[in-house]
Amino acid sequence: MPRTLADLVAQHLVASGRFLDDDPELAYQHARTARRLAARLGGVREAVAITAYLAEHYDEALTEFRAVRRMTGNHEVIAMMADCERALGRPDKALALTKDKHVHDVSEPTQIELLIVAAGARRDKGQTAAAIQMLEVPELTKRTRAEWLPRLRYAYADALAEAGRTDDALVWFHRAAGVDGDGVTGAAERAAELEGLEFTDLDEDDTVVDDEYFEDEDTAETTDAADAAEETDEDLDAEEVVDGEDDVDVVDVDAEDAEKSEDSEVVGELTDGESKGSEE
């Protein structure tokens, strides 16, 4: 593949991965563009298969997963293939895939996913008791941080709830929530629902009231600050007036002192003259 074409395909695959969680449909479109440019690459076909699966284009996803198995020999996609069959309303084909000859060669997470899908297919067929029995495996109580554990416990709890075993279902929803730190399964919400609890958000009206309250509070604070500033200005003006009056008084006192001094000097001169006249 030419370098320019390879770079373009890589860009679409990177974009597909970037949008995978937030916008599966857009991720799928990028993957399809990459497939149009490089349909013979197994990695490209796998990207198309996964994004189509997440975007709920199950027919195309199933076709692409088959192509991936044929081109790469990767059997880890069996669980997603079986789930596609379920989504397309074909539980029997889903169960057939869970018995594929390569099932024992896949990783533990894929085997658990296959078990969950198989139990779901049984429930699709109305065989809830069989689904519960299938999920009663040692892995349910296994101490592990594996991502599949919350999903396995949730599937078991959900099957129990469908069978009317509410108390048992509540126990396992709580156990699923206990290992689901990211809240992916929604087990905590299901447990609360069974317990008759409800999670409510604040209404928009309450938010508006709060906003109005804070706006009034801010306005009151602003008004108080303005009144305080005006009072301060008035006090300062009064002080300036008082200071001005003091200055006037000081000037008047100085003028009076000067006049008295001049009068004293005149009296002194007259007295001196009279004294000299007497001596003569």
Side-chain angles (χ1 to χ4, degrees), residues 249-263:
D249 293 340
V250 171
V251 172
D252 293 342
V253 171
D254 292 342
E256 291 176 359
D257 292 343
E259 291 177 357
K260 290 179 180 180
S261 178
E262 290 178 357
D263 293 341

Side-chain angles (χ1 to χ4, degrees), residues 63-81:
T63 300
E64 293 299 319
F65 280 133
R66 288 169 180 161
V68 170
R69 291 188 69 184
R70 184 177 65 255
M71 296 170 67
T72 67
N74 178 13
H75 303 293
E76 296 292 334
V77 299
I78 294 178
M80 286 182 282
M81 292 177 65

Side-chain angles (χ1 to χ4, degrees), residues 58 82-94 124:
Y58 298 114
D83 203 30
C84 286
E85 294 287 7
R86 273 197 66 204
L88 293 170
R90 302 191 290 249
D92 289 328
K93 289 189 175 181
D124 292 341

